[in-house]
Amino acid sequence: MEFDFTPEQYTLRDEARRFLEAQCPPSHVREFIDDETGWSRDLWKRMADLGWMGLAFPEDLGGLGQSFGDVTLLLGELGRAVAPVPFLASLCAGQVVFRHGSVEQQRRWLPSVASGERIATIVIVTPDAAVVNASASGDGWVLKGETGPILDAPAADMFVVAAHDGEGARWFVAEEGVRVTPQLGFDRTRTIGRVAFDGAAAEPLSVGGLEPGSRVAVAAVCAEMVGVAQKILDTTVEYSKVREQFGRPIGSFQAIKHKCAEMLTELEASRSAAFYAGWSVDGDADDAALAVAVAKSYCSEALAHLAGEGVQIHGGIAFTWEHDMHLYLRRIKSDEALFGDAAFHRERIARLAGL
Amino acid sequence: MEFDFTPEQYTLRDEARRFLEAQCPPSHVREFIDDETGWSRDLWKRMADLGWMGLAFPEDLGGLGQSFGDVTLLLGELGRAVAPVPFLASLCAGQVVFRHGSVEQQRRWLPSVASGERIATIVIVTPDAAVVNASASGDGWVLKGETGPILDAPAADMFVVAAHDGEGARWFVAEEGVRVTPQLGFDRTRTIGRVAFDGAAAEPLSVGGLEPGSRVAVAAVCAEMVGVAQKILDTTVEYSKVREQFGRPIGSFQAIKHKCAEMLTELEASRSAAFYAGWSVDGDADDAALAVAVAKSYCSEALAHLAGEGVQIHGGIAFTWEHDMHLYLRRIKSDEALFGDAAFHRERIARLAGL
Amino acid sequence: MELAFTAEENAFREEVRAWIKENLPPDFKEPRSFEERLAFSRAWEKKLSASGWAGIAWPKEYGGRGATLMEQIIFHEEMARARAPQIFINFVGINLAGPTIRIHGTEEQRKRYLPPILSMEEIWCQGFSEPNAGSDLANVQTRADLRDDHFVVNGQKIWTSFAHVADWCLLLCRTDQSAAKHKGLSYLLVDMKSPGIDPRPLKQITGEAEFNEVFFTDCVVPRENLLGELGMGWTYANTTLSHERGPAFLAHQIRYRNTLLDLVSAAKTTLHDGVPATEHPAYRQKLAAAYAELEIMRYLGLRMVTSIMRNGRPGTEGSVSKLYWSHMVRRMQELGLGVTGASAMLDGEDAANHGSWQRGYMMSFAQTIAAGSSEIQKNIISERVLGMPRGEVWAPKERV
Amino acid sequence: MELAFTAEENAFREEVRAWIKENLPPDFKEPRSFEERLAFSRAWEKKLSASGWAGIAWPKEYGGRGATLMEQIIFHEEMARARAPQIFINFVGINLAGPTIRIHGTEEQRKRYLPPILSMEEIWCQGFSEPNAGSDLANVQTRADLRDDHFVVNGQKIWTSFAHVADWCLLLCRTDQSAAKHKGLSYLLVDMKSPGIDPRPLKQITGEAEFNEVFFTDCVVPRENLLGELGMGWTYANTTLSHERGPAFLAHQIRYRNTLLDLVSAAKTTLHDGVPATEHPAYRQKLAAAYAELEIMRYLGLRMVTSIMRNGRPGTEGSVSKLYWSHMVRRMQELGLGVTGASAMLDGEDAANHGSWQRGYMMSFAQTIAAGSSEIQKNIISERVLGMPRGEVWAPKERV
């Protein structure tokens, strides 16, 4: 039994952190925060050069054949950097195609997703429900309906859509004829928008239902949140060591110290839950449905609290636009609402546990 | 506008506190805590001599003609002393008779309740529901059913019962033929027990429905809780000033200070809510139903938290039976469950507020 | 206990209501951008001023209405109930600078500065916080060196509202470098048109710039613009701060009640798990708890008012009230974000109710940080109310 | 990441299961009174001992089973899953005194004391806490004065489990009055039958007496009963304390899972507002949250075990685990009281499930107070894990 990443995986994480510190410092992030549809194509290309988008796809599909676990560490680093790229959306969409698509479908779509050439997004609001309707039309299917907000829809050129086909919810892929209306995100570092289908052609993925695909998305967002929260805690602890009030670093006051200790507790519990959720979806464990609901419910509430405490400890300085703390806070609060909030996932737990 | 007690009322409170400190010190309370049916008849007599049981009943019914507000201060002091007497139960029962009984019924029962000669209790679990059934029998009514746990049932010789008369819930008074089974209370300072009616004769009070009578009971328990909580905070702050660890009083550590500040905040908010609830039932204010639900929901949760913090700050010493802290904790936790807990009263608020 | 109003108070209430009805546009909606708010408030507060409502708490001898505490409460309540805008651009003048000058200024200063505040001819800002003097306000480092008949001011202030539109600044600065931290401070009344003052808008967490940083470089201030006595700035500052929480507590409660009503209607129309949030297990109880907390804020306010009427100052309930309501507001705003579901991921016009939950949530941090952070409040409560021993030096003992 | 067990581990699990099936009475119910528990555990732990399960973590050379970490976990997990009793009367001997003597004792001491622990011929208690040495353990004042060939012990210990039935006591006491607080301490191995020892039952918050106060009056202890070296008590004590949290974390999780299952079944059968607690808005979400928190305790445990296997000690997850689970337990127990409704007003046999929620709630305070209160844990975490500056003296720096 070994419930932790390997030293090699941590090396990858450390490399990713160094890469992002150099290539995606806050100044880079801030180039895009006033632009509703802006995101960093430069960074995306560099990430593609490193093979990040293909990390968790098999080699024969153009990926690097690593586990989903490796990607969760990467997601954490991208969260830490609040990187302005559609990585999470495209990854989740690709993973849904990988888990629900036929071999032919995988071959058709995944190599370009794995190379970063094609940007996909996952069109879903909560992981259990279709958001639009699909109906048969001639040889194929068409989608109708409007939904949102959808993460990184403005950046996407391929849409993996949870649609109701008359019998149940399942995944469809649409490439053309999708109308996207960009929206102003609370998280300014990523794009978001409404998505409308007015008879757009779509193809159903061969494996029906929304799970296990939607679980991957939930696990992914938890992994990202943990990375953001780690950055918040690191920043807060560092600040508390240098910021002086009453002639002493504020980090020497017990009230601040105890808050930070509580934040670390929330973070380590969240990290454990996100690790487990990632592991469980990777191997499709028996308790995967429960594990992702546990992780998302806990991370949403605990890490939103942690983020609030980070702002509080910073005091006035974090209340400025110039300080980066609000970028992390906005990311955490957005992720809290993404793919179902704590209340939603607790209700899932209640049902799964037979309450 | 004046939303506070008068100096005279506070003088009464201070006298009550001095009286109870002398007549009902913890050593006196502890005489009864190992005895399921034991309570202090001595203290009761002395309280009767002071006219406490009649405080809030009109003079023509043998009372002192003061407001219910005066009694709430007294309830707080009795809570502070965790006095082993059936005051709250008998007061609530008497108030129900006062508010729902005909003049004749008031005259028949209240003078002996107001003098402390007769001890009454209120047979109800949550303030909105009948607990047993009443049916017509000959000229009168009989009660059938079993319910509990009922506060101070083992001490009572008169039962004011929320019963369903076939059309709705209303109050009945039963004196004979009531079977009481004493139970071990979590709060060891008062008696408690199951109450069974197997055709006991009972008389309906003339004003139907359970309100406003049941509201008085809810307001009364909140007033008591505030007194207990004040004692917990006082004791905790005092202890923190004298208990030394690491060569300093623990009350000089910011972590302890901040906890105490939070406790005071919870206490003052609870006190405000209990004051208002008491005021609102006194004059049957328009928002009385809401006010008591607000008070009971808030006091239950906030003061249970406060009590837990009191134990935590005391550390090991509060973990002993010999220390009085657990007596207060048990009283608070019992009161939390008495006449509906926080969840119950929040649901009431939701309905009253049209949620 | 008596919660009824007198006939006179009720008549006063009718007067306020009638005035609002006549003067507030019936379709009035709180402007959403800071600039719009500023423009609206200029006109609105002029109106208030012209009708004698600007300084209702000010004594009659200084041009105010000399309203009783109950009248002030009634006035603020009615304004809140009508969702009329709160005093904004003239807030510092009416509530902070004005009372401070009235209490500590010379007779000449009173005559010179008070009337134009009431008439809104002169707008004020206050220069208090500095980057290194947040919770530790006595650490003010902006220096004013006395040279014959004038001071030369150098330094930086932060969180200065209205600095870019203000005519005057109530400036807390260090006039004695050698005295103990809180003893070398003085108050200057600074003409914002003086050379050497550079106010720069400070973009806050919401993306709007409601505040400014203000840089002073060799700014000359005449000696007669010293407020009261030299070295008394710390004492006077406590006057200013004590006026920051006025008798407006109950009115704030009504404004938060408006927020809660908005929250409830959002909850009724937003589906979670297929049911309105009001029927969802998680949100139903939280909404009810928010409702209870808000009611209790009113009761706390009623106690505070009673204490002030009886003793001239709030009692224990007053010392905890800021801690209570600031965290109540944070919870309520966070609940607002939660209730709106996936819309929480949006902002501004794209989000539910024009982004008011996002803005309200972000702004709620101001409540627990500004005007004495929650941590400072807890220090004060534990030491001054509960009498717990000082263990860590966190503020000069002399702070009132 | 790999959560599967090896074939050997699975075989070991089968062995444990088979043994439990054979030895645990099928209708076994945890005894409710302390005295019953004591009686049962004497017999049960003798059985464990006879079958070689007593010291499974002890090295083979000292009579133990030398089980791997995974085997220990499996053993504890299976015991927990079967709701078999936890090690009780021999807990101090097996988990605290034994390892401390093995690591710090002389070869003679090892030979003399270890075998009777394993065989349960000798029961141990530990003399650690004192009325004035709670969180501040270095403040131990029980003194042992060395006179030629023996120590004379005077003082008082508190929270000493099993003192009235124990044969030996692992006693932390002050042997040097002049040295720094944590430097003058030593460990003595004290025969509880010596004259001058008076253990008195200490009734705890639940009304039961699981602990004792122990008074030492001129109690003579031979010099050879000094453990290891003089003045090393503080260092050795940290060994003892570090063994207090063993690899039993995952097993604890299973025991709390049993508690949660009891809670859920109580919730299903207790009506609130006319519906089972599982369907009531307030309780449904809280039950789900408790479920999530409990699952996360398992994940934390898995990480801890992995860290111990890799590095010999837990990582960051280990430093927060006590804070995490102790408060989790408090919430769960309090939820239990809430779920049982009006029955929360009762206790003992009259209450739901024989008063287990009342007892569990009261006992949960032990988790956040004993073995390093939550406040001490937060000090440790902030300074040692997060590297925050020491501001207040709260413990000797040397504490490991």
Side-chain angles (χ1 to χ4, degrees):
Chain A
M1 198 220 69
E2 179 149 71
F3 182 63
D4 199 349
F5 294 98
T6 61
E8 293 71 32
Q9 288 172 313
Y10 281 121
T11 302
L12 171 82
R13 179 199 63 181
D14 295 343
E15 283 169 7
R17 185 173 302 183
R18 277 192 296 273
F19 169 81
L20 289 165
E21 279 168 1
Q23 303 298 327
C24 184
S27 58
H28 184 68
V29 177
R30 284 177 179 272
E31 288 174 32
F32 304 94
I33 65 176
D34 289 328
D35 178 359
E36 272 188 26
T37 56
W39 58 279
S40 178
R41 286 166 176 83
D42 274 0
L43 180 61
W44 187 256
K45 282 204 195 79
R46 285 170 215 260
M47 288 165 56
D49 291 344
L50 294 170
W52 285 6
M53 288 71 144
L55 201 65
F57 296 105
E59 292 176 44
D60 61 359
L61 293 170
L64 297 180
Q66 302 299 307
S67 74
F68 184 71
D70 296 68
V71 188
T72 62
L73 284 179
L74 201 53
L75 280 163
E77 293 310 309
L78 287 159
R80 182 182 183 89
V82 283
V85 286
F87 186 85
L88 185 121
S90 200
L91 168 75
C92 292
Q95 287 288 322
V96 168
V97 172
F98 181 51
R99 278 151 213 260
H100 290 262
S102 65
V103 172
E104 189 278 320
Q105 289 173 322
Q106 293 177 350
R107 287 202 183 133
R108 181 143 43 101
W109 285 308
L110 290 183
S112 57
V113 169
S115 69
E117 204 180 325
R118 194 199 297 263
I119 293 166
T121 193
I122 175 173
V123 181
I124 195 166
V125 175
T126 53
D128 60 338
V131 286
V132 294
N133 289 316
S135 51
S137 162
D139 289 354
W141 293 77
V142 293
L143 299 181
K144 276 202 180 144
E146 194 176 343
T147 192
I150 298 301
L151 183 65
D152 275 324
D157 31 45
M158 169 174 158
F159 299 82
V160 179
V161 187
H164 202 285
D165 67 2
E167 288 182 4
R170 69 182 304 155
W171 294 106
F172 285 78
V173 173
E175 292 177 273
E176 302 291 329
V178 181
R179 186 157 40 83
V180 173
T181 314
Q183 294 175 297
L184 180 64
F186 189 45
D187 170 11
R188 302 292 167 93
T189 64
R190 288 196 293 213
T191 68
I192 198 163
R194 286 195 70 76
V195 177
F197 303 90
D198 191 15
E203 181 176 324
L205 292 180
S206 77
V207 179
L210 298 180
E211 301 199 48
S214 65
R215 283 178 207 155
V216 179
V218 178
V221 69
C222 294
E224 171 177 286
M225 290 178 89
V226 168
V228 184
Q230 178 74 60
K231 177 68 180 176
I232 292 173
L233 180 59
D234 291 350
T235 304
T236 303
V237 168
E238 279 319 302
Y239 181 73
S240 81
K241 289 178 186 171
V242 298
R243 167 71 171 176
E244 296 202 351
Q245 293 276 271
F246 310 109
R248 290 170 38 187
I250 62 169
S252 69
F253 288 103
Q254 212 179 29
I256 304 298
K257 286 158 85 162
H258 283 202
K259 267 187 201 286
C260 289
E262 287 158 14
M263 289 164 77
L264 182 67
T265 308
E266 291 168 331
L267 176 60
E268 290 301 336
S270 297
R271 191 198 310 283
S272 304
F275 276 12
Y276 194 88
W279 172 82
S280 78
V281 299
D282 216 0
D284 223 353
D286 291 344
D287 60 353
L290 179 67
V292 297
V294 164
K296 188 60 168 60
S297 66
Y298 189 87
C299 292
S300 292
E301 198 164 277
L303 299 182
H305 179 258
L306 177 151
E309 293 291 69
V311 173
Q312 179 71 22
I313 292 172
H314 273 80
I317 187 79
F319 199 72
T320 64
W321 187 259
E322 294 315 311
H323 195 279
D324 298 326
M325 190 54 66
H326 75 95
L327 301 180
Y328 310 127
L329 176 67
R330 288 165 182 272
R331 177 65 70 93
I332 288 277
K333 291 296 290 180
S334 297
D335 280 353
E336 183 186 358
L338 186 63
F339 307 146
D341 64 5
F344 173 87
H345 285 284
R346 286 204 184 117
E347 188 59 36
R348 293 260 288 182
I349 293 169
R351 284 175 208 160
L352 289 165
L355 294 186
Chain B
M1 198 219 72
E2 179 149 71
F3 183 62
D4 199 350
F5 294 99
T6 62
E8 293 71 35
Q9 287 172 314
Y10 280 122
T11 302
L12 172 83
R13 179 200 63 183
D14 295 343
E15 283 168 9
R17 186 174 301 182
R18 277 192 296 273
F19 169 82
L20 289 166
E21 278 168 2
Q23 303 298 327
C24 185
S27 58
H28 184 68
V29 177
R30 284 177 179 273
E31 287 174 33
F32 305 94
I33 65 175
D34 289 330
D35 178 358
E36 271 188 29
T37 58
W39 58 279
S40 177
R41 285 165 176 84
D42 274 0
L43 180 61
W44 187 255
K45 282 203 195 79
R46 284 171 218 258
M47 287 165 56
D49 292 344
L50 295 171
W52 285 6
M53 289 71 144
L55 202 62
F57 295 107
E59 292 177 42
D60 61 359
L61 293 170
L64 298 180
Q66 302 299 308
S67 74
F68 184 71
D70 297 69
V71 188
T72 60
L73 285 179
L74 201 54
L75 280 163
E77 293 310 309
L78 287 158
R80 182 181 182 90
V82 283
V85 286
F87 186 85
L88 185 124
S90 200
L91 168 74
C92 293
Q95 287 288 324
V96 168
V97 172
F98 181 50
R99 279 151 213 260
H100 290 261
S102 64
V103 172
E104 189 278 319
Q105 288 172 323
Q106 292 178 349
R107 288 203 183 132
R108 182 143 41 100
W109 285 307
L110 291 183
S112 57
V113 169
S115 70
E117 207 180 324
R118 193 200 297 264
I119 293 166
T121 194
I122 176 174
V123 182
I124 196 165
V125 175
T126 52
D128 62 338
V131 287
V132 296
N133 288 317
S135 50
S137 163
D139 289 352
W141 293 78
V142 293
L143 299 180
K144 276 199 179 147
E146 195 176 344
T147 191
I150 298 301
L151 182 65
D152 274 325
D157 30 46
M158 169 175 158
F159 299 81
V160 179
V161 187
H164 202 286
D165 68 1
E167 287 181 6
R170 68 183 302 156
W171 294 106
F172 285 78
V173 173
E175 294 178 272
E176 302 291 329
V178 181
R179 187 157 40 82
V180 173
T181 314
Q183 293 175 298
L184 181 65
F186 189 46
D187 170 12
R188 302 293 166 94
T189 65
R190 288 197 292 213
T191 68
I192 199 164
R194 286 194 70 74
V195 177
F197 304 90
D198 191 14
E203 182 176 321
L205 291 179
S206 75
V207 179
L210 298 180
E211 302 200 45
S214 65
R215 283 179 207 155
V216 180
V218 177
V221 69
C222 293
E224 171 177 286
M225 291 178 89
V226 168
V228 184
Q230 179 73 60
K231 177 69 179 175
I232 291 173
L233 180 59
D234 291 349
T235 304
T236 302
V237 168
E238 280 318 302
Y239 182 74
S240 80
K241 290 177 186 172
V242 298
R243 168 69 171 177
E244 296 202 351
Q245 294 276 272
F246 310 111
R248 289 171 38 186
I250 62 169
S252 69
F253 288 105
Q254 211 179 31
I256 304 297
K257 287 158 83 163
H258 283 202
K259 267 188 201 286
C260 289
E262 287 158 12
M263 290 164 76
L264 182 66
T265 307
E266 292 168 331
L267 176 59
E268 290 300 336
S270 297
R271 190 196 313 281
S272 304
F275 276 12
Y276 194 89
W279 172 83
S280 77
V281 300
D282 216 1
D284 224 352
D286 291 344
D287 61 351
L290 179 67
V292 297
V294 164
K296 188 59 167 62
S297 66
Y298 189 87
C299 291
S300 293
E301 198 165 278
L303 300 182
H305 179 258
L306 177 151
E309 293 291 68
V311 173
Q312 179 71 22
I313 291 172
H314 274 79
I317 188 81
F319 200 73
T320 65
W321 187 259
E322 294 314 313
H323 195 279
D324 297 325
M325 190 54 68
H326 75 96
L327 301 180
Y328 310 126
L329 176 68
R330 287 165 182 271
R331 176 65 69 93
I332 289 277
K333 291 297 289 179
S334 296
D335 280 353
E336 184 186 358
L338 186 63
F339 307 146
D341 63 6
F344 173 86
H345 285 284
R346 287 206 183 117
E347 187 59 34
R348 294 260 288 181
I349 293 169
R351 285 175 208 160
L352 288 165
L355 295 186
Chain C
M1 292 205 187
E2 175 54 67
L3 290 181
F5 294 92
T6 65
E8 290 74 22
E9 287 163 352
N10 285 331
F12 180 80
R13 189 183 292 279
E14 285 312 315
E15 189 189 343
V16 176
R17 269 190 204 167
W19 188 88
I20 295 173
K21 201 171 171 193
E22 210 164 297
N23 290 279
L24 186 70
D27 58 343
F28 171 73
K29 288 265 183 308
E30 195 78 38
R32 287 196 285 275
S33 83
F34 182 75
E35 292 308 321
E36 284 171 286
R37 257 184 106 185
L38 210 58
F40 184 89
S41 79
R42 254 187 217 280
W44 171 251
E45 290 172 37
K46 276 260 188 213
K47 253 190 215 177
L48 282 170
S49 187
S51 307
W53 295 111
I56 65 158
W58 286 30
K60 285 191 179 159
E61 52 182 312
Y62 295 105
R65 189 180 275 257
T68 65
L69 188 62
M70 282 312 298
E71 287 172 343
Q72 295 172 42
I73 290 165
I74 290 167
F75 174 76
H76 289 301
E77 278 188 351
E78 289 303 318
M79 296 292 271
R81 210 160 271 149
R83 297 198 178 209
Q86 285 179 277
I87 183 165
F88 188 62
I89 188 169
N90 209 12
F91 179 86
V92 177
I94 292 289
N95 292 321
L96 307 175
T100 309
I101 293 170
R102 180 166 58 76
I103 295 167
H104 300 295
T106 63
E107 190 51 33
E108 268 188 353
Q109 287 171 333
R110 289 183 196 136
K111 284 196 184 136
R112 161 64 189 86
Y113 295 106
L114 296 182
I117 290 176
L118 267 195
S119 64
M120 258 193 80
E121 284 161 85
E122 291 179 355
I123 301 299
W124 283 72
C125 63
Q126 70 170 350
F128 261 54
S129 296
E130 296 183 5
N132 290 312
S135 292
D136 185 7
L137 188 57
N139 200 32
V140 157
Q141 283 157 8
T142 293
R143 58 191 295 164
D145 300 319
L146 184 57
R147 307 243 172 90
D148 308 322
D149 63 343
H150 64 272
F151 294 92
V152 178
V153 179
N154 280 286
Q156 181 194 354
K157 292 288 173 181
I158 194 170
W159 305 120
T160 311
S161 308
F162 313 116
H164 59 307
V165 294
D167 303 290
W168 289 92
C169 178
L170 182 66
L171 185 73
L172 186 64
C173 49
R174 187 164 300 283
T175 46
D176 184 347
Q177 304 293 327
S178 61
K181 250 173 136 186
H182 56 287
K183 288 195 169 153
L185 299 175
S186 300
Y187 252 142
L188 296 185
L189 310 175
V190 180
D191 185 342
M192 288 296 283
K193 286 177 287 293
S194 317
I197 304 182
D198 180 14
R200 298 181 201 161
L202 180 65
K203 215 168 162 185
Q204 73 200 23
I205 199 169
T206 57
E208 291 164 338
E210 287 188 35
F211 302 94
N212 298 271
E213 293 176 289
V214 185
F215 295 84
F216 294 86
T217 316
D218 293 333
C219 172
V220 172
V221 179
R223 181 174 183 151
E224 70 253 32
N225 285 21
L226 172 72
L227 180 75
E229 289 172 50
L230 203 64
M232 290 296 285
W234 182 249
T235 309
Y236 299 171
N238 281 305
T239 302
T240 317
L241 292 174
S242 76
H243 275 79
E244 208 161 346
R245 317 179 195 143
F249 192 83
L250 285 167
H252 283 314
Q253 194 269 344
I254 296 177
R255 290 188 188 270
Y256 291 128
R257 190 181 160 82
N258 294 336
T259 307
L260 184 66
L261 294 179
D262 292 346
L263 175 50
V264 169
S265 55
K268 282 186 176 172
T269 53
T270 313
L271 298 185
H272 285 257
D273 254 340
V275 296
T278 41
E279 288 166 37
H280 190 278
Y283 292 108
R284 184 171 178 79
Q285 285 262 319
K286 282 188 187 171
L287 287 164
Y291 202 98
E293 288 179 10
L294 183 75
E295 281 292 299
I296 291 173
M297 180 179 172
R298 182 161 69 91
Y299 313 153
L300 271 168
L302 293 171
R303 283 179 66 204
M304 259 173 86
V305 168
T306 305
S307 292
I308 294 172
M309 287 196 295
R310 283 188 183 174
N311 316 308
R313 58 190 161 73
T316 316
E317 76 292 333
S319 55
V320 301
S321 62
K322 198 224 167 190
L323 202 54
Y324 179 83
W325 72 258
S326 59
H327 289 272
M328 178 199 86
V329 170
R330 177 93 69 82
R331 277 190 294 276
M332 194 194 292
Q333 294 290 359
E334 194 153 15
L335 181 56
L337 269 187
V339 156
T340 58
S343 164
M345 292 189 285
L346 300 174
D347 206 353
E349 293 301 317
D350 287 322
N353 202 23
H354 316 283
S356 74
W357 301 110
Q358 282 74 1
R359 189 176 185 283
Y361 171 70
M362 287 308 217
M363 288 304 290
S364 76
F365 286 100
Q367 317 291 14
T368 57
I369 290 172
S373 70
S374 298
E375 290 69 34
I376 295 290
Q377 300 294 339
K378 289 179 197 170
N379 285 344
I380 294 176
I381 293 167
S382 58
E383 292 181 8
R384 299 198 199 145
V385 183
L386 298 174
M388 296 175 79
R390 297 174 66 85
E392 301 183 281
V393 177
W394 61 270
K397 273 195 185 155
E398 293 72 9
R399 181 160 178 194
V400 179
Chain D
M1 291 205 188
E2 174 54 66
L3 290 180
F5 293 93
T6 64
E8 290 75 21
E9 287 162 352
N10 285 330
F12 179 81
R13 189 183 292 277
E14 286 311 316
E15 189 189 344
V16 176
R17 268 190 203 166
W19 188 88
I20 294 173
K21 200 170 172 193
E22 208 163 297
N23 289 277
L24 186 71
D27 58 345
F28 171 74
K29 287 267 183 308
E30 195 78 39
R32 286 196 287 275
S33 82
F34 180 74
E35 291 309 320
E36 285 172 285
R37 256 185 106 185
L38 209 58
F40 182 90
S41 79
R42 254 187 216 283
W44 170 252
E45 290 172 38
K46 275 261 189 216
K47 254 192 213 175
L48 283 170
S49 186
S51 307
W53 293 111
I56 65 159
W58 287 29
K60 284 192 177 156
E61 52 182 310
Y62 295 104
R65 189 181 275 258
T68 65
L69 187 63
M70 283 312 298
E71 286 171 342
Q72 294 172 42
I73 290 165
I74 290 166
F75 173 77
H76 289 302
E77 277 188 352
E78 289 304 318
M79 296 293 269
R81 210 160 270 149
R83 297 197 180 210
Q86 285 180 273
I87 183 165
F88 189 62
I89 189 168
N90 209 13
F91 179 85
V92 177
I94 292 289
N95 291 321
L96 306 176
T100 309
I101 293 169
R102 179 166 58 76
I103 294 166
H104 300 295
T106 61
E107 190 51 36
E108 268 190 348
Q109 287 171 333
R110 291 184 193 134
K111 284 198 181 133
R112 162 62 190 86
Y113 294 107
L114 295 181
I117 290 177
L118 268 194
S119 64
M120 258 194 79
E121 284 161 84
E122 291 180 353
I123 301 299
W124 283 73
C125 64
Q126 71 170 349
F128 260 53
S129 295
E130 297 183 6
N132 290 312
S135 291
D136 184 7
L137 188 57
N139 199 31
V140 157
Q141 283 157 8
T142 293
R143 59 190 294 163
D145 300 318
L146 185 56
R147 308 246 171 85
D148 306 323
D149 63 343
H150 65 271
F151 293 92
V152 178
V153 179
N154 280 284
Q156 181 194 352
K157 291 289 173 181
I158 195 170
W159 305 120
T160 311
S161 308
F162 314 117
H164 59 307
V165 295
D167 303 291
W168 289 92
C169 178
L170 183 67
L171 185 73
L172 186 65
C173 49
R174 188 163 299 282
T175 45
D176 184 347
Q177 304 294 325
S178 61
K181 250 172 137 189
H182 56 287
K183 287 195 168 153
L185 299 175
S186 298
Y187 253 142
L188 296 185
L189 310 174
V190 180
D191 185 343
M192 288 297 282
K193 287 178 287 292
S194 316
I197 304 183
D198 180 14
R200 298 180 199 163
L202 179 66
K203 215 168 160 183
Q204 73 200 23
I205 199 168
T206 56
E208 292 166 336
E210 286 188 36
F211 300 95
N212 300 270
E213 293 175 289
V214 186
F215 295 84
F216 294 87
T217 315
D218 293 333
C219 171
V220 171
V221 178
R223 182 175 184 149
E224 71 252 31
N225 285 21
L226 171 72
L227 181 75
E229 287 172 50
L230 203 63
M232 290 296 286
W234 183 248
T235 309
Y236 299 173
N238 281 305
T239 303
T240 317
L241 292 174
S242 75
H243 276 79
E244 209 161 343
R245 317 178 197 144
F249 191 83
L250 284 167
H252 282 315
Q253 194 269 345
I254 295 176
R255 291 189 188 269
Y256 291 126
R257 190 180 161 82
N258 294 336
T259 306
L260 184 67
L261 294 178
D262 292 347
L263 175 50
V264 169
S265 54
K268 284 186 174 170
T269 53
T270 312
L271 297 186
H272 286 257
D273 254 340
V275 297
T278 41
E279 288 166 38
H280 189 278
Y283 292 108
R284 183 171 179 79
Q285 284 262 319
K286 282 189 186 171
L287 288 164
Y291 202 98
E293 289 179 9
L294 182 76
E295 281 293 299
I296 291 174
M297 180 179 172
R298 181 161 69 90
Y299 313 153
L300 271 168
L302 294 170
R303 282 179 67 204
M304 258 172 87
V305 167
T306 305
S307 291
I308 294 172
M309 287 195 297
R310 283 189 184 175
N311 315 309
R313 58 190 162 73
T316 315
E317 76 292 334
S319 56
V320 302
S321 63
K322 197 224 166 191
L323 202 54
Y324 179 84
W325 72 258
S326 59
H327 289 272
M328 177 200 87
V329 170
R330 177 91 71 81
R331 277 190 295 275
M332 194 194 293
Q333 294 289 359
E334 194 152 14
L335 181 57
L337 269 187
V339 155
T340 58
S343 163
M345 292 190 284
L346 301 174
D347 206 353
E349 293 302 317
D350 286 323
N353 202 23
H354 317 284
S356 74
W357 300 111
Q358 282 75 0
R359 189 176 184 283
Y361 171 70
M362 288 308 217
M363 290 304 290
S364 76
F365 285 99
Q367 317 291 13
T368 57
I369 290 171
S373 70
S374 297
E375 289 71 33
I376 295 290
Q377 300 295 338
K378 289 179 198 171
N379 285 345
I380 295 176
I381 291 167
S382 59
E383 292 181 8
R384 299 200 198 142
V385 182
L386 298 174
M388 295 175 80
R390 297 174 66 85
E392 301 183 281
V393 177
W394 61 271
K397 274 195 186 156
E398 292 73 9
R399 182 163 178 188
V400 180

